[in-house]
């Protein structure tokens, strides 16, 4: 059920991504007018938003898209000042850790400097919109403690983590020094059927669906000895919204608190497709190894639970089966 329009408006950077699409759906359901900032690029397909942009009751009335790049302060400024939203959700940035080793400069330009530019701009607004930056567990890299909480020292081990650490800390500085309503959602890995196939979870579930259908024989992966705290993206955008509704701006760890080996993810995904032994279907390809891996990234979301009443609603088994099922039906439809 969608609420009637209310007077609230939000800007979302990174609206075409996995989180952007879930957050947009949620805000529209809550009666918001949503403005998405999108990058000019030669790729115009926005499959994660199609169900909204093709709906005439939504697109152009409750949802608007605007072109601007995070490295172009004048165009961002023009849009944000014109809309003067109540809330800004900053989700954009180069989001792939592996790629950040190949393109460290642009990763920092978008993720670190892009955040600073937005904050600088909000400082000049009266009243300043509330601001939420999506941080990452990668800021902790090799943490002193596990699980991590909002006070754990940052110790990133890759360019992506460094850029996110800059963004998280800068957000804190603008809150503490300028009194802006700025929050960080320090989000651990969050997945869904909308996750890009360059991330290991979706790469696996997509391959499993195709292997089960006899369309391919194996999947090539990198380091299988890794572990992650994986949650469902639809749950994580709820935490982002709740953080913005709390009376005080704060940082929140958004995580499930469960550390899962990648091999366990493989096991569940293949088993759900009726394949008991995944090993013959996985080949190791050194191309997918990274120069460094983080360790023991598992979050303690107690503050989000206590202050926001937030908790994950989807466990790992449900997440993996949701993704495999979605890939199976997509693979059937597209016959690719
Ligand atoms: P990240 O946690 O944001 O880096 O998310 P990814 O899904 O990209 O990677 C999660 C972990 O899976 C990392 O430790 C990777 O090294 C590992 N991994 C193993 N094989 C692959 C692969 O083929 N692709 C990706 N993306 N990651 C892989």
């Amino acid at each position: 059920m969608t609420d009637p329009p209310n007077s609230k408006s939000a800007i979302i950077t990174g609206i075409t991504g996995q989180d952007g699409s879930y957050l947009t759906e949620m805000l529209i359901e809550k009666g918001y007018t949503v403005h998405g900032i999108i990058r000019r690029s030669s790729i115009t397909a926005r499959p994660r938003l199609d169900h909204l942009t093709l709906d005439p009751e939504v697109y152009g009335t409750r949802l608007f898209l605007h072109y601007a790049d995070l490295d172009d302060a004048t165009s961002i400024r023009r849009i944000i000042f014109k809309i003067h939203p109540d809330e800004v959700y900053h989700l954009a940035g180069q989001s792939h850790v592996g790629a950040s080793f190949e393109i460290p400069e642009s990763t920092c330009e978008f993720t670190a400097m892009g955040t600073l530019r937005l904050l600088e701009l909000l400082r000049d607004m009266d009243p300043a919109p509330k601001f939420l930056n999506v941080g990452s567990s990668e800021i902790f890299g090799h943490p002193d403690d596990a699980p991590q909480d909002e006070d754990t020292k940052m110790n990133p081990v890759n360019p992506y983590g460094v850029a996110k650490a800059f963004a998280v800390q800068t957000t804190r500085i603008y809150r503490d020094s300028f009194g802006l309503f700025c929050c960080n959602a320090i989000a651990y890995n969050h997945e869904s059927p909308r996750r890009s196939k360059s991330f290991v979870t979706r790469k696996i579930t997509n391959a499993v669906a195709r292997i089960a259908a006899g369309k391919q024989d194996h999947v090539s992966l990198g380091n299988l000895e890794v572990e992650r705290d994986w949650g469902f993206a639809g749950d994580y955008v709820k935490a982002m919204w709740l953080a913005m509704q709390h009376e005080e701006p704060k940082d929140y760890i958004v995580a499930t608190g469960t550390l899962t080996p990648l091999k366990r993810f493989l096991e569940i995904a293949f088993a759900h497709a009726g394949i008991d032994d995944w090993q013959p279907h996985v080949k190791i390809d050194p191309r997918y190894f990274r120069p460094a891996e983080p360790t023991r990234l598992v979050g303690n979301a107690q503050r989000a639970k206590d202050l926001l009443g937030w908790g994950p609603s989807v466990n790992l088994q449900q997440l993996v089966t949701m993704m495999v099922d979605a890939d199976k039906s997509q693979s059937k439809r597209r016959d690719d």
Side-chain angles (χ1 to χ4, degrees):
M1 262 298 284
T2 300
D3 289 349
N6 60 35
S7 57
K8 270 196 169 177
S9 60
I11 284 186
I12 303 177
T13 72
I15 193 168
T16 57
Q18 168 189 258
D19 296 3
S21 66
Y22 282 116
L23 181 61
T24 303
E25 277 168 15
M26 195 184 79
L27 294 182
I28 286 175
E29 269 173 27
K30 290 186 183 298
Y32 280 66
T33 302
V34 176
H35 296 266
I37 296 189
I38 54 175
R39 216 176 339 159
R40 268 246 175 255
S41 90
S42 52
I43 301 162
T44 51
R46 295 186 277 273
R48 297 183 185 97
L49 289 180
D50 277 352
H51 59 296
L52 298 171
T53 53
L54 297 176
D55 181 345
E57 289 193 8
V58 172
Y59 193 54
T61 56
R62 310 281 291 273
L63 171 65
F64 300 85
L65 299 177
H66 310 266
Y67 282 112
D69 282 357
L70 282 182
D71 59 356
D72 179 348
T74 42
S75 61
I76 294 263
R77 172 175 284 267
R78 190 175 306 121
I79 293 165
I80 296 190
F81 270 72
K82 186 164 161 223
I83 295 163
H84 209 128
D86 300 293
E87 298 170 5
V88 174
Y89 294 86
H90 178 39
L91 278 48
Q94 194 294 101
S95 63
H96 200 272
V97 171
S100 80
F101 283 104
E102 308 301 323
I103 49 166
E105 203 171 315
S106 60
T107 299
C108 290
E109 186 55 43
F110 283 97
T111 301
M113 290 305 292
T115 308
L116 175 66
R117 274 186 207 107
L118 280 175
L119 286 163
E120 266 299 276
L121 201 157
L122 299 188
R123 233 179 107 192
D124 291 342
M125 296 176 79
D126 186 19
K130 292 180 178 181
F131 179 78
L132 180 121
N133 174 56
V134 181
S136 162
S137 53
E138 288 286 343
I139 64 173
F140 299 123
H142 288 165
D144 290 342
D145 305 304
Q148 297 82 46
D149 62 25
E150 294 79 5
D151 297 321
T152 302
K153 243 182 15 208
M154 299 190 202
N155 188 17
V157 294
N158 52 57
Y160 172 83
V162 167
K164 282 288 187 190
F166 177 102
V168 166
Q169 191 64 17
T170 305
T171 300
R172 287 177 180 163
I173 290 171
Y174 276 66
R175 175 173 69 220
D176 297 342
S177 305
F178 302 122
L180 296 182
F181 191 107
C182 297
C183 310
N184 283 299
I186 303 171
Y188 283 60
N189 293 46
H190 44 290
E191 321 294 312
S192 75
R194 299 183 195 175
R195 189 63 143 153
S196 143
K197 289 175 197 155
S198 61
F199 289 85
V200 77
T201 52
R202 181 77 200 292
K203 184 173 172 182
I204 291 169
T205 60
N206 179 57
V208 164
R210 292 173 51 81
I211 291 167
K215 292 179 181 172
Q216 75 184 55
D217 167 65
H218 69 273
V219 56
S220 297
L221 297 173
N223 189 348
L224 300 188
E225 303 305 321
V226 298
E227 305 172 303
R228 286 291 187 283
D229 176 338
W230 280 295
F232 171 53
D235 283 337
Y236 287 34
V237 301
K238 279 187 199 135
M240 295 172 200
W241 178 76
L242 286 167
M244 292 286 238
Q245 313 314 309
H246 194 259
E247 61 202 20
E248 273 180 67
K250 287 185 185 298
D251 298 339
Y252 300 91
I253 294 284
V254 187
T256 70
T258 304
L259 194 58
T260 304
L262 183 56
K263 285 180 177 169
R264 175 77 190 128
F265 191 103
L266 279 163
E267 211 170 81
I268 301 174
F270 274 93
H272 185 61
I275 302 168
D276 290 338
D277 187 6
W278 56 268
Q279 308 226 20
H281 298 288
V282 173
K283 291 196 174 152
I284 301 302
D285 185 334
R287 274 186 308 159
Y288 299 114
F289 278 74
R290 296 176 183 174
E293 286 284 0
T295 43
R296 297 189 306 157
L297 292 187
V298 54
N300 172 0
Q302 193 63 40
R303 179 186 284 175
K305 184 172 180 216
D306 291 346
L307 300 186
L308 308 178
W310 181 85
S313 72
V314 173
N315 67 26
L316 185 80
Q317 179 82 31
Q318 292 165 325
L319 174 66
V320 180
T321 55
M322 176 205 305
M323 291 173 71
V324 170
D325 287 342
D327 276 321
K328 275 168 90 175
S329 56
Q330 207 181 76
S331 162
K332 235 186 247 149
R333 267 202 317 274
R334 298 227 318 264
D335 210 26
D336 53 357

